[in-house]
Amino acid sequence: MGHQRMTLTYPALARAEQVLWLITGADKREPLSRLVAKDRSIPAGRVGAAASLVLADAAAAGRSPARAGDRPPTGP
């Protein structure tokens, strides 16, 4: 299909100092929830890097997209 793909094993990912997860789309809402909960029943939940950074769009996070002028959420 003209795309290249690289596959990494769990041990290779475990040696990473940080893993960046980029998650987009409403269909990823449930997998995102499971990733954040460290659910080991999904492949992403078995990645054991030293640190992880999760970036998700509003749809994946189950929120309405931000609009210009909206204020960021405040603490508890």
Side-chain angles (χ1 to χ4, degrees), residues 25-73:
D27 60 324
K28 298 298 189 276
R29 190 171 301 150
E30 190 258 338
L32 171 59
S33 173
R34 292 172 70 182
L35 173 65
V36 171
K38 298 180 181 169
D39 182 345
R40 293 185 52 83
S41 71
I42 61 170
R46 294 190 294 270
V47 173
S52 293
L53 175 63
V54 178
L55 299 177
D57 67 2
R63 298 192 175 130
S64 299
R67 296 174 307 210
D70 281 353
R71 300 180 105 188

